[in-house]
């Protein structure tokens, strides 16, 4: 991996490079399974496996009809660290197009799969939640403000269709690395603020990075830029 180490003491930083990523087989470690389980632990939370699961019945949600489809307003299920929730794509034959603000606030679930009809995640969707894995599907265009604020979610994969990451979308979350897909156009102020465990940021394209987008994420060690030029000020990482 070819990486440019950034000197944040300089007034302005400009990157113009192509990094070649060598193919390598991932190393997996699997803890000894001492309990009876229907699914191997290492397989249970893969995206492929989660997308193959049946949808959670619509009876487990409260919802209302809005212009263009259905909005889920609340979840009837209590927190359960062994539970996987798969948001239905349709309810009563109509597309689920919206999830209410803070739908999973402070919830504890094993995994949540968002439906493919969503164009935008709502504010505070997973605020202060503990969820081992969240799957966002292709088709999503905006990651809304505070979506993952103060959340513990493990690794997050941003869909290739996302164009905007709003302010504080990942603020104060426990992400350790993030890949910004090529189609992302704007990363707004404080989108990745206070991410104290964040160490690696990879840009596949050249988004506009607003001031303070990574403010107080002081442990970033690697910034990798693929297939393009990107230019930004140090303020976009460290000041509001």
């Amino acid at each position: 991996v070819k990486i440019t180490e950034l000197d944040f003491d300089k007034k302005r930083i400009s990157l113009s490079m192509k990094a070649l990523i060598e193919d390598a087989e991932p190393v997996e470690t699997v803890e000894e399974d001492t309990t009876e389980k229907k699914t191997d632990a290492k397989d249970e939370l893969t995206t492929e496996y989660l997308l193959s699961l049946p949808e959670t019945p619509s009876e487990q949600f409260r919802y209302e009809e809005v212009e263009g489809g259905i909005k889920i307003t609340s979840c009837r299920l209590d927190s359960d660290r062994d539970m996987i929730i798969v948001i239905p794509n349709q309810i009563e034959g109509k597309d689920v197009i919206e999830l209410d603000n803070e739908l999973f606030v402070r919830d504890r679930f094993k995994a949540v799969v968002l439906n493919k009809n969503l164009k935008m995640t709502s504010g505070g969707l997973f605020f202060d939640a503990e969820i081992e894995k969240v799957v966002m599907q292709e088709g999503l265009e905006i990651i809304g403000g505070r979506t993952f604020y103060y959340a513990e979610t493990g690794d997050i994969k941003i869909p290739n269709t996302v164009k905007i990451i709003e302010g504080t979308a990942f603020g104060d979350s426990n992400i350790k690395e993030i890949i910004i897909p090529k189609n992302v156009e704007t990363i707004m102020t404080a989108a990745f603020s206070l991410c104290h465990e964040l160490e690696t940021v990879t840009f596949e394209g050249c988004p506009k990075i607003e001031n303070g987008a990574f403010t107080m994420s002081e442990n970033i060690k690697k910034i990798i830029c693929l297939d393009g030029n990107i230019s930004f000020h140090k303020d976009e990482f460290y000041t509001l």
Side-chain angles (χ1 to χ4, degrees), residues 148-168:
F148 294 101
Y149 193 83
Y150 205 57
E152 296 186 15
T153 59
D155 293 336
I156 294 289
K157 184 180 186 301
I158 298 175
N160 294 319
T161 49
V162 168
K163 298 178 181 179
I164 298 173
I165 302 174
E166 292 190 343
T168 68

Side-chain angles (χ1 to χ4, degrees), residues 6-116:
L6 301 184
D7 180 2
F8 288 104
D9 292 331
K10 295 181 179 179
K11 180 65 178 177
R12 182 174 181 82
I13 304 167
S14 294
L15 298 179
S16 180
M17 61 174 286
K18 289 186 177 181
L20 300 177
I21 307 300
E22 296 180 354
D23 292 331
E25 294 183 1
V27 177
E28 295 184 0
T29 57
V30 181
E31 295 182 1
E32 183 180 357
D33 189 1
T34 59
T35 59
E36 293 184 4
K37 296 182 180 180
K38 295 181 180 179
T39 310
D40 290 341
K42 70 182 181 65
D43 294 331
E44 188 170 354
L45 292 184
T46 64
T47 298
E48 181 179 8
Y49 171 74
L50 291 172
L51 290 175
S52 72
L53 294 176
E55 296 176 347
T56 301
S58 60
E59 292 79 11
Q60 302 297 341
F61 304 98
R62 294 182 179 88
Y63 54 89
E64 61 187 23
E65 188 172 346
V66 294
E67 184 177 356
I70 295 292
K71 173 182 178 179
I72 292 179
T73 57
S74 65
C75 179
R76 297 176 184 270
L77 297 168
D78 294 329
S79 289
D80 183 341
R81 293 181 185 274
D82 293 323
M83 184 177 295
I84 295 173
I85 294 180
V86 180
I87 303 294
N89 288 308
Q90 290 191 329
I91 293 179
E92 297 180 358
K94 297 178 181 179
D95 290 346
V96 175
I97 61 171
E98 187 177 351
L99 305 179
D100 208 355
N101 292 343
E102 301 185 352
L103 182 64
F104 295 108
V105 63
R106 297 186 179 89
D107 277 335
R108 278 52 176 150
F109 291 116
K110 193 172 190 66
V112 174
V113 180
L114 301 184
N115 57 308
K116 63 184 179 182

Side-chain angles (χ1 to χ4, degrees), residues 149-151 170-177 192-200 214-221 237-238:
Y149 193 83
Y150 205 57
F170 292 88
D172 210 1
S173 65
N174 72 332
I175 57 171
K176 293 178 174 58
E177 60 179 302
F192 294 93
S193 63
L194 295 165
C195 293
H196 304 298
E197 297 183 41
L198 181 60
E199 295 185 352
T200 303
F214 293 82
T215 187
M216 289 184 277
S217 296
E218 71 281 357
N219 291 314
I220 295 175
K221 296 180 175 64
F237 277 78
Y238 289 113

